[in-house]
Amino acid sequence: TAFEVKRTQLVYFDVAATGRTTSAVRMTVYDANNAAVLTLAARGGQAAGADALLPPGTYTVRFAAAEQGGGPLSALQF
């Protein structure tokens, strides 16, 4: 998912996950140079949030999910 920031602003991001506590989701915000500007992670049943001061530009948000120990990913919603 991509979005554009027209002027420098403080943006609050949050991610929450439902499912087993052995599963987790990671959300990373990248700038136009593909540099990570913010990473949040939440295990099943948890939430995480943080502010990021973003200068003007285009940003991309990517999500990745994993199961502890590298096993098959259980049902996970985020």
Side-chain angles (χ1 to χ4, degrees), residues 2-3 9 13 21 27 30-31 33 45 48 51 53 60 74 77:
F3 65 96
Q9 58 186 319
F13 294 92
T21 58
M27 180 186 83
Y30 296 91
D31 66 13
N33 296 317
D51 291 314
L53 184 61
T60 303
S74 64
Q77 295 180 348

Side-chain angles (χ1 to χ4, degrees), residues 9-73:
Q9 58 186 319
L10 188 63
V11 180
Y12 181 77
F13 294 92
D14 64 8
V15 63
T18 62
R20 298 188 331 205
T21 58
T22 57
S23 299
V25 63
R26 180 180 64 229
M27 180 186 83
T28 306
V29 180
Y30 296 91
D31 66 13
N33 296 317
N34 209 31
V37 296
L38 177 71
T39 300
L40 296 172
R43 289 184 174 197
Q46 295 182 336
D51 291 314
L53 184 61
L54 302 179
T58 301
Y59 296 86
T60 303
V61 179
R62 295 187 187 122
F63 296 90
E67 184 71 31
Q68 185 176 355
L73 188 61

